Amino acid sequence: MTTGRGLVEQEEKRSYGAVFLFAIGVLVACMVWALWQDSFSRHLWKKYKTDFYRLAIDKYDKDHAAERARLDKDPEYVKLRDELAAVRQSLESGEAKAELDRLQARKDELDIEYMEADQDVRIVKGEVEEAWYWLEHAQHHGGTGAEEHKKLEETQKRTADYIARVDKVTAEIAEVEAAMDKVRSRETELVEKMRPFEKETEAIATKMEGVSLNIFGRRVAAVPTIDQVVLVGFERNNFENWVDRVERCQNCHVAIDRPGFEEEQNPLKTHPDRNYYLGKHEVRRFGCTPCHGGQGASINAVELAHGKVAFWEDPLLNVHDKLDAKCLTCHASVQNVAGAENAARGEWLFQEMGCHGCHLTNGFEDLEKVGPSLTRIAAKVSPEWLVSWIENPQGFRPRTRMPNYMFKREEAVSLAAYLLHSSEKNAKAWIAGQVEPPGVNSADTALVEKGKELTRSLGCTGCHGFAPEEFASQVAIGKDTAPNLSRIAEKTDARWIYPWIRNPRLFSEHPRMPSLRLTEEEAAAITSYLLTLRQGPSPEPDEALRKTLASADTVKAGEKLMRKYGCFGCHTVTGMEAESRIGVELSSFGGKHFEELYFGDRLDIPPTWDDWTINKILTPRTYATERIEQVMPQFGFDPADARALTIFLASRTEHVINPKYKPDHERELTLKRGRELVARYNCQGCHSFDGKEGAIRRYFTDNIEYAPPILVGEGTKVQAEWFFDFIMKPVKLRPWLDLRMPTFPLSDEDATAIIDYFQALDGYQFGPVILEAGGAGAGPATLETVSQLPQGSYDCFACHAKGTVTPTSQYHVAKTPLTPEKARAWLGGHVAPPGSTAQAQPANSVTN
């Protein structure tokens, strides 16, 4: 029987070495696995950073060697380098060194003297404080203080002596240092001369320090550490709170903001066009995901970082052109924003093709209808033509922006019946107020030719084409800005054309068509010419059709169809003023998941948002089924335009960015509103500005000086008050031009918006100023004194108004901004500089 003591002895003799060895092995294996996971497997960013550091070290070594080789071939640099080497050799072993050693020894002696003298000053200042104490003590305790006062004066005298000694030593040290600097002056001079040459090598060295460590003279990759950018209060969450966004993309894309790695593969590649994109969107301020999407805070896997995981709403955008849509997240508009051309095109199409008429969309709620008013359509066209047009607009005008609803004949008749019925009262009232157009004769060859010439000379070709397939400009590929008039005589007659071209506002309250202020003779000639433009006969009266159109049942059916198809989204229609948009709201359409979209029976279309959307635009009723009807018309978009619209729609999301991350929002809204107006009235049909050339200028290639003026920089050239007056009531400024600036149907608010737009284009807002000037011995010169200039001087008031006096010139009425600089240059330098007597004035307070 084994005793208890025997069990203990047996246990003590047992070996646990194998267990300990196994445990150590497991711990070592776990440590190796953890290190592997942390360095390579789990944190791939470390590998990317290390790979980049090694790549950068190799590149910077080569760059440094190449730069040194280039400098070695530069004669001027070699001369400076050799001279510097000789000077330094002298400073180290020649006469200069002996002189420097002597001066340094003397400086060392003076430094000791200075320390001693300075110490004496400190001590004696303490004695002065002590003397003051005893003096005040004696005075406070009934003594005279005479003895103490005498001691204070003696101490203060010693203080002055010690300070004088310090000043003397300091001056001697300065002399010695100046002598040393003089000996070294040539070296300093040469170093400064060489600095511009070595600027690049120093920059390379700085870059090298950022990616490497110097260990025993050998460059090795720096230890990778995690970098992150915090976008404070960047976006609004579902609880209406501003929340931060964390960005760590640069841990893998290490070279994204480093020039010189443009040819590498991702993720070790420099951002394309880095200076433009990152120069305007600094990574440290804006991060990467606002433009590219993805899950910026994730670094453990590529799929996670790129947001390619379930339920992540904003994955990385792989489609390059779709990146443009992200620009509209922060920018109110991207017209003329370099790099956002696709989104800008889509934005333009959405506005000009009238998409907003059916679809409510944030930022486009208040745009004017793109189609003409139909409140008097019965006075404009025949019933037969109207039915044919509704049934197939492209059959009459192939390049019209009017979409095709693919109506059946009876549907077109019903809609025409409602339009004719609803506009009958207004049409009759308008017709009753018209007189027979005087002087119109389409058979008069000379008159017709005169009318044709007028359409060219007055500028009608800036908007309209007059021959088949002729157009001035396009709102979309294959879609004219203004109607082609090659078949106008088939559509209407002189009774409508003549008053329309004389004053469009008498027929339509808000027409796009401006008034050219035509005389009766001019209007008669142009009308005569337009009446010759046809490709076939006008539709013959169809009594059976007209009887059907007059039927109450047909009118009622047309009213129902009108509400179903939403014609009032583009046109003003009597009786439909209170109707709402018939299409779905698109304000957040870009954020929809493809599972929220209805593909109907189209199993051949890939289940993605992009494929659904572009197919919807190209073939709007492609998802209709036997059970689900769709009413969106066929616009006939070119695939490139359809893609641009798709990109624009992708920008319509509920994502809200903090305004502090956005550009000048007020200026962008000003530009957006101005561009909407100049697009509506086709100002760029004649004028070049905002990056676009006037369409009409192609007719003046041989005599470009007769083309309409270029308006680039117009916001800085003219005063707002004059600009406003000119837009509202144009006058002839250039007597050599036959082209006529039209009178547009603008409200005061619209005219002001256009002026603000031109000023915002130039980043400038000019306010009237009073300019005062003075000569030697004379009082300040004012504009009144300009009228007293010597005989033969310029007559400033021939063009510039003075108070209520009308300029004497018949044509050249000007009101250019007179800045102090311009006035000084023009008047010979007699105008006081800014800040002297020039002062800003309230609007309309002065004239120039």
Side-chain angles (χ1 to χ4, degrees):
M1 182 177 223
T2 306
T3 64
R5 181 174 177 77
L7 288 172
V8 173
E9 290 177 351
Q10 184 178 353
E11 186 66 25
E12 287 178 348
K13 291 178 181 179
R14 182 178 297 174
S15 174
Y16 286 93
V19 176
F20 292 150
L21 183 62
F22 176 76
I24 292 171
V26 171
L27 288 173
V28 171
C30 288
M31 182 181 69
V32 171
W33 175 81
L35 291 173
W36 174 265
Q37 280 282 84
D38 188 64
S39 300
F40 303 103
S41 177
R42 186 165 181 266
H43 295 310
L44 195 58
W45 65 271
K46 290 188 176 181
K47 177 182 181 302
Y48 287 140
K49 262 196 171 178
T50 303
D51 289 346
F52 172 75
Y53 288 162
R54 290 170 180 158
L55 177 70
I57 290 170
D58 182 58
K59 179 184 184 308
Y60 294 151
D61 275 337
K62 292 178 180 178
D63 289 348
H64 188 271
E67 181 63 16
R68 296 307 311 180
R70 186 189 70 81
L71 290 175
D72 288 343
K73 295 179 181 178
D74 188 321
E76 187 177 354
Y77 174 78
V78 171
K79 179 181 178 182
L80 292 172
R81 183 193 61 189
D82 292 345
E83 185 178 354
L84 179 61
V87 169
R88 285 178 172 170
Q89 179 66 28
S90 175
L91 292 175
E92 292 174 1
S93 61
E95 295 181 2
K97 183 177 185 306
E99 179 63 13
L100 281 176
D101 289 344
R102 184 186 69 77
L103 292 171
Q104 184 62 50
R106 177 56 182 158
K107 185 176 180 299
D108 292 342
E109 294 174 0
L110 291 172
D111 286 341
I112 294 173
E113 287 186 37
Y114 175 82
M115 287 188 291
E116 292 175 348
D118 184 65
Q119 184 67 24
D120 290 341
V121 169
R122 294 171 187 272
I123 293 172
V124 78
K125 282 183 178 181
E127 293 176 357
V128 168
E129 291 300 318
E130 181 185 8
W132 271 111
Y133 170 79
W134 289 115
L135 174 60
E136 293 172 353
H137 182 275
Q139 291 172 343
H140 293 165
H141 290 81
T144 62
E147 196 65 32
E148 289 78 2
H149 191 273
K150 181 180 179 182
K151 186 174 181 180
L152 174 62
E153 289 181 341
E154 292 175 354
T155 307
Q156 288 177 331
K157 182 179 179 183
R158 283 195 298 125
T159 302
D161 293 340
Y162 287 139
I163 290 175
R165 181 184 170 198
V166 168
D167 291 342
K168 179 175 179 297
V169 173
T170 301
E172 290 182 10
I173 291 174
E175 290 178 3
V176 171
E177 289 177 342
M180 295 174 72
D181 289 341
K182 185 176 180 180
V183 174
R184 295 195 186 100
S185 61
R186 185 54 182 167
E187 178 191 30
T188 303
E189 182 182 346
L190 291 171
V191 168
E192 288 300 316
K193 286 184 176 180
M194 292 177 66
R195 196 178 300 281
F197 292 94
E198 296 182 334
K199 183 178 180 180
E200 183 61 25
T201 56
E202 291 175 0
I204 294 171
T206 301
K207 294 176 184 177
M208 182 69 83
E209 291 294 330
V211 300
S212 65
L213 299 174
N214 191 340
I215 299 179
F216 303 115
R218 177 180 173 82
R219 286 287 174 182
V220 297
V223 177
T225 57
I226 193 165
D227 294 320
Q228 71 177 21
V229 175
V230 179
L231 309 181
V232 179
F234 179 73
E235 55 202 333
R236 194 163 64 196
N237 64 11
N238 293 333
F239 302 99
E240 301 298 318
N241 296 319
W242 295 113
V243 294
D244 301 345
R245 178 181 287 195
V246 177
E247 292 273 355
R248 295 173 181 153
C249 308
Q250 62 272 31
N251 289 287
C252 292
H253 297 272
V254 194
I256 203 68
D257 198 17
R258 299 174 189 252
F261 299 91
E262 289 79 6
E263 302 304 319
E264 301 298 329
Q265 296 297 313
N266 274 323
L268 307 183
K269 183 177 182 178
T270 303
H271 195 291
D273 203 356
R274 169 183 165 271
N275 288 335
Y276 173 71
Y277 287 105
L278 301 190
K280 295 179 179 293
H281 308 86
E282 185 185 358
V283 174
R284 287 287 171 186
R285 183 182 177 195
F286 295 99
C288 303
T289 58
C291 294
H292 293 273
Q295 191 174 186
S298 178
I299 55 173
N300 290 340
V302 173
E303 292 76 14
L304 292 175
H306 289 180
K308 303 295 185 178
V309 293
F311 309 117
W312 189 257
E313 295 181 352
D314 190 22
L316 183 74
L317 288 174
N318 291 331
V319 185
H320 177 68
D321 61 358
K322 200 175 176 183
L323 286 174
D324 293 13
K326 291 288 189 177
C327 301
L328 282 161
T329 305
C330 295
H331 293 272
S333 173
V334 291
Q335 298 301 310
N336 283 1
V337 174
E341 289 80 8
N342 294 307
R345 179 66 177 168
E347 180 187 14
W348 166 267
L349 291 169
F350 189 87
Q351 170 185 313
E352 291 302 305
M353 292 302 292
C355 306
H356 55 87
C358 288
H359 301 280
L360 178 66
T361 308
N362 286 343
F364 297 85
E365 309 95 322
D366 302 321
L367 290 178
E368 296 277 358
K369 299 177 187 291
V370 298
S373 170
L374 302 181
T375 56
R376 292 184 174 126
I377 188 64
K380 179 178 180 181
V381 299
S382 69
E384 293 78 13
W385 184 91
L386 183 59
V387 172
S388 175
W389 171 262
I390 293 172
E391 189 175 5
N392 182 14
Q394 285 70 29
F396 181 81
R397 189 176 287 141
R399 297 176 57 85
T400 181
R401 76 173 83 185
M402 168 87 173
N404 192 330
Y405 279 85
M406 296 162 280
F407 288 125
K408 297 176 183 177
R409 176 71 177 182
E410 57 269 25
E411 291 177 320
V413 170
S414 297
L415 282 164
Y418 178 76
L419 289 173
L420 293 170
H421 173 77
S422 65
S423 65
E424 182 178 11
K425 181 179 179 181
N426 288 332
K428 286 182 176 180
W430 182 81
I431 291 173
Q434 305 307 312
V435 297
E436 188 69 22
V440 175
N441 185 359
S442 59
D444 186 335
T445 306
L447 186 62
V448 168
E449 190 59 34
K450 178 183 177 183
K452 181 178 181 180
E453 176 56 31
L454 283 171
T455 61
R456 269 63 177 170
S457 63
L458 294 179
C460 304
T461 51
C463 292
H464 298 282
F466 290 86
E469 298 302 313
E470 181 185 43
F471 63 91
S473 59
Q474 302 182 102
V475 293
I477 298 173
K479 307 292 180 185
D480 291 344
T481 300
N484 179 285
L485 301 180
S486 62
R487 300 181 67 180
I488 184 67
E490 299 175 44
K491 175 181 177 180
T492 188
D493 54 23
R495 181 192 59 179
W496 180 83
I497 295 175
Y498 180 87
W500 170 256
I501 63 176
R502 287 213 70 190
N503 190 353
R505 295 190 75 171
L506 295 179
F507 182 81
S508 177
E509 186 177 355
H510 298 292
R512 287 190 165 192
M513 172 83 172
S515 169
L516 284 169
R517 305 179 300 282
L518 300 173
T519 64
E520 289 185 358
E521 293 75 15
E522 291 172 331
I526 293 174
T527 302
S528 300
Y529 166 60
L530 294 179
L531 290 176
T532 67
L533 300 181
R534 61 171 65 243
Q535 296 178 30
S538 301
E540 293 292 335
D542 185 335
E543 294 303 326
L545 174 61
R546 296 190 178 197
K547 183 177 180 181
T548 303
L549 291 169
S551 166
D553 290 340
T554 307
V555 172
K556 187 174 181 180
E559 182 178 3
K560 185 177 179 180
L561 286 171
M562 181 73 65
R563 288 193 168 91
K564 176 181 177 180
Y565 288 98
C567 307
F568 43 79
C570 289
H571 304 279
T572 301
V573 180
T574 303
M576 296 288 168
E577 295 85 356
E579 296 296 318
S580 59
R581 294 174 172 88
I582 66 165
V584 297
E585 183 174 354
L586 299 179
S587 297
S588 59
F589 177 72
K592 285 184 177 290
H593 194 269
F594 78 89
E595 292 174 341
E596 300 177 78
L597 304 173
Y598 180 70
F599 282 79
D601 297 329
R602 293 299 303 271
L603 303 179
D604 57 319
I605 295 178
T608 69
W609 183 94
D610 286 80
D611 287 290
W612 187 94
T613 305
I614 198 166
N615 276 283
K616 179 68 175 177
I617 294 171
L618 288 170
T619 51
R621 300 183 186 177
T622 190
Y623 304 120
T625 65
E626 201 173 324
R627 186 172 59 88
I628 304 296
E629 184 182 19
Q630 297 186 338
V631 299
M632 181 171 168
Q634 178 68 49
F635 284 87
F637 283 116
D638 181 270
D641 280 345
R643 181 59 187 164
L645 267 171
T646 301
I647 292 167
F648 168 74
L649 290 173
S651 72
R652 304 295 95 184
T653 69
E654 294 179 337
H655 194 199
V656 181
I657 302 296
N658 195 319
K660 70 180 182 180
Y661 287 94
K662 296 182 178 182
D664 186 347
H665 194 57
E666 289 301 320
R667 178 175 181 269
E668 290 210 336
L669 289 177
T670 298
L671 290 172
K672 183 176 185 295
R673 177 58 181 152
R675 287 186 175 118
E676 291 168 357
L677 287 167
V678 298
R680 174 172 176 77
Y681 297 111
N682 194 29
C683 301
Q684 288 169 325
C686 289
H687 300 285
S688 300
F689 60 92
D690 203 5
K692 295 180 181 178
E693 186 175 40
I696 202 173
R697 293 180 69 81
R698 68 175 182 269
Y699 297 113
F700 294 87
T701 52
D702 294 334
N703 298 287
I704 200 65
E705 65 273 14
Y706 291 99
I710 294 173
L711 301 185
V712 176
E714 192 70 6
T716 64
K717 293 178 182 177
V718 296
Q719 288 187 358
E721 293 83 359
W722 179 89
F723 203 173
F724 181 90
D725 292 342
F726 182 76
I727 289 177
M728 298 300 284
K729 294 182 180 180
V731 293
K732 191 166 187 177
L733 299 179
R734 296 167 175 83
W736 61 90
L737 294 185
D738 292 325
L739 291 166
R740 188 174 298 175
M741 172 71 179
T743 301
F744 290 95
L746 297 171
S747 65
D748 289 354
E749 292 76 13
D750 288 347
T752 301
I754 290 175
I755 294 164
D756 291 343
Y757 157 72
F758 275 99
Q759 291 185 337
L761 272 181
D762 300 318
Y764 179 74
Q765 189 166 1
F766 182 80
V769 295
I770 294 176
L771 303 178
E772 295 182 350
T782 65
L783 291 176
E784 290 295 333
T785 64
V786 178
S787 60
Q788 303 169 10
L789 290 173
Q791 187 67 30
S793 299
Y794 290 102
D795 183 5
C796 301
F797 297 113
C799 298
H800 294 270
K802 180 178 68 171
T804 59
V805 179
T806 303
T808 58
S809 170
Q810 182 180 359
Y811 300 111
H812 300 282
V813 181
K815 199 173 184 183
T816 54
L818 296 178
T819 64
E821 293 76 16
K822 289 181 179 178
R824 188 181 305 111
W826 185 257
L827 299 175
H830 296 294
V831 179
S836 56
T837 54
Q839 53 182 318
Q841 294 293 311
N844 300 315
S845 63
V846 296
T847 67
N848 52 333

